[in-house]
């Protein structure tokens, strides 16, 4: 099985699969939310998921995180069935205001991930400042989330995820609530962090341009029930640049194609 | 900000002085008969005398002790039960009607029942106090635990926190503002019930002192007891507010 997966990976010149959705379906009661969805995410790939509201993007991400189990089919992580959340799979939630502990400082919030993993106190203390520095929060460790801007709060959450040393980063519209300038800054920071570590990224967004700008691939889901409707490869050169990448013909072509896809899907 | 606080303090101090002065005037001009209303001067003399030559200090301490133990039992019980009920939606739906029925019962109404079951003992007094003070703590704790942001539980799951870690690192801190507010109310109830129990069951303490003073027309002694009760209520609430301020310092920093 694993050998066969490797064979196809070599044939298609694709990196080995890290997350794979194998014809999964999910129903709540008798309502089918997702039906026969199949999708492979390769190691180090950034796959962006788009689709009309309610088509099951968040649900798919939660399944990849082991928070929800499919009613049929299986989600696998490096070939092994995923049945519960895993230490090396980190989730960045959209609502940073609710996902941080308001009674803990930025440092202590980052520490939580390591406490969960049983990292001893002195090692935690040593690792926190570099983690905060990585997300541009050096010197802000003693602040409470409520004392920080939305962008800074989302950075805390990203730092907390990095503290897990994740092989896979699952992000659910992480920058959706931020203003345009902050969002672009965080997009670039995320890209360089991920490039450094070779992390696999599953990125849900409703912003088509963001999907093309960040992704190696953009997967569009169709609603009712959720399934894959389009899977586009993005062959824009890296590192990407907010001005140049967004002006390339390839970028404009992909944006157009996704725009048409969404319009059709919503009809 | 700081100047406002000082002005505020000065004003409330002034009101207190005016109050004592008005009281003195009422007594001096015998607007109310001195048999019922001695001036603050006489009440004060009786207070110091009670502490130096009498056993008012002992009575004060036994009331404090009674209130404290009853409140502590109520708080521990309320937090544990409240956490269990608050975190379980099923328990909540089963128990909510019962709790709503029991809650508005005046705690002093339980005293005859407790006397019938436990006699005029210290155990009876303690159970009445604990039972009465339990309600505010229990209901506030249930609310606090039920209102924990579901996203935080999900964060706990995603990070693979153990169950005790979820309780002590997520649920309890999140519910702590509600719990502390409930404990503050519970302390007031505990003080009231301590006094009432001492009066009804004749246990030694400030309540009994006040009752006996009233029966033998020792008005200054009565007022000395009432003053002490006021001081006790005020002092405990100041201490609790300070503890609360320390524990919840993260809230004050918000925006
Ligand atoms: N726990 C649940 N019980 C019942 N239905 C649910 C549950 N969670 C999600 N759904 C339904 O599943 C569908 C997909 O939800 P999901 O949140 O995955 O959509 P989404 O693509 O992320 O939408 P959006 O773009 O608005 O975030 C929705 O119709 C939603 O109502
Ligand atoms: Mg969603």
């Amino acid at each position: 099985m694993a050998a066969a997966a490797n064979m196809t990976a070599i044939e298609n010149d694709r990196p080995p699969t890290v997350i794979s959705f194998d014809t999964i379906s999910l129903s709540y009661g008798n309502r089918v939310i997702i039906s026969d969805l199949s999708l492979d995410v390769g190691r180090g790939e950034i796959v962006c998921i788009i689709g009309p509201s309610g088509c099951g993007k968040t649900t798919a991400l939660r399944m990849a995180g082991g928070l929800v189990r499919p009613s049929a089919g299986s989600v696998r992580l490096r070939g092994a069935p995923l049945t519960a959340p895993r230490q090396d799979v980190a989730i960045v939630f959209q609502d940073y205001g609710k996902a941080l502990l308001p009674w803990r400082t930025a440092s202590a919030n980052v520490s939580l991930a390591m406490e969960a993993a049983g990292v001893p106190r002195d090692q935690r203390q040593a690792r926190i400042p570099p983690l905060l520095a990585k997300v541009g929060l050096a010197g802000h460790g003693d602040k409470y989330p409520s004392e920080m801007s939305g962008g800074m709060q989302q950075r805390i959450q990203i730092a907390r995820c990095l503290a897990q040393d994740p092989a896979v980063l699952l992000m659910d519209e992480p920058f959706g609530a931020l203003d345009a300038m902050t969002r672009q800054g965080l997009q670039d920071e995320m890209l360089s962090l991920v490039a450094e570590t070779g992390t696999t990224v599953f990125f849900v967004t409703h912003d088509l341009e963001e999907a093309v700008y960040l992704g190696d691939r953009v997967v569009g889901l169709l609603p009712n029930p959720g399934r894959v409707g389009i899977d586009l490869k993005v062959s824009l050169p890296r590192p990407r640049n907010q001005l140049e990448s967004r002006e390339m013909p390839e970028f404009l072509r992909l944006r157009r194609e996704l725009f048409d896809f969404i319009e059709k899907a919503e009809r | 900000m700081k100047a406002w606080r000082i002005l505020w303090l000065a004003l409330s101090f002034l009101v207190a002085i005016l109050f004592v002065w008005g009281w003195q005037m009422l007594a001096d001009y015998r607007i109310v008969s001195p048999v019922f209303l001695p001036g603050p001067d006489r009440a004060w003399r009786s207070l110091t005398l009670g502490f130096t030559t009498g056993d008012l200090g002992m009575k004060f301490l036994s009331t404090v002790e009674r209130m404290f133990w009853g409140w502590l039992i109520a708080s521990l019980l309320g937090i544990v039960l409240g956490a269990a009920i608050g975190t379980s939606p099923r328990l909540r739906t089963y128990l909510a009607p019962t709790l709503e029925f029991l809650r508005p019962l005046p705690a002093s109404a339980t005293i005859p029942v407790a006397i019938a079951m436990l006699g005029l003992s210290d155990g009876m007094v303690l159970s009445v106090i604990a039972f009465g003070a339990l309600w505010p703590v229990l209901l506030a704790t249930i609310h606090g635990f039920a209102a924990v942001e579901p996203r935080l539980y999900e964060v706990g799951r995603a990070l693979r926190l153990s169950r005790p870690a979820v309780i002590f690192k997520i649920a309890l801190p999140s519910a702590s503002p509600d719990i502390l507010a409930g404990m503050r109310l519970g302390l007031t109830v505990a003080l009231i019930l301590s006094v009432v129990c001492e009066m009804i069951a004749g246990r030694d303490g400030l309540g009994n002192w006040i009752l006996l003073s009233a029966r033998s027309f020792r008005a200054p002694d009565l007022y000395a007891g009432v003053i002490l009760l006021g001081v006790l209520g005020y002092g405990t609430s100041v201490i609790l507010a300070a503890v609360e301020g320390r524990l919840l310092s993260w809230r004050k920093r918000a925006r």
Side-chain angles (χ1 to χ4, degrees), chain A residues 62 67 85 87 93 95 98-99 101-103 115-116 144 146-147 160 164, chain B residues 149 151-152 154-155 157-161 169-170 173-174 250 253-255:
Chain A
R62 288 160 56 83
L67 291 171
Q87 150 115 55
F93 295 98
D95 41 7
K98 292 179 178 171
L101 310 184
W103 55 87
E115 290 165 30
Y144 286 87
S146 57
E147 299 174 293
R160 183 171 71 193
Q164 286 177 256
Chain B
E149 171 58 49
R151 178 68 80 213
L152 288 181
E154 207 157 67
V155 168
R157 275 182 72 202
L159 294 178
R160 308 197 314 159
L161 281 176
K169 293 181 178 182
I170 293 180
S174 173
W250 54 274
R253 301 230 210 159
R255 265 155 268 256

Side-chain angles (χ1 to χ4, degrees), chain B residues 74-94:
Chain B
S75 299
L76 293 179
L77 218 63
I79 292 170
V80 171
L81 286 178
I85 299 170
T87 48
S88 157
R90 189 180 299 168
L91 267 184
R92 243 181 6 254
T93 41
Y94 286 152

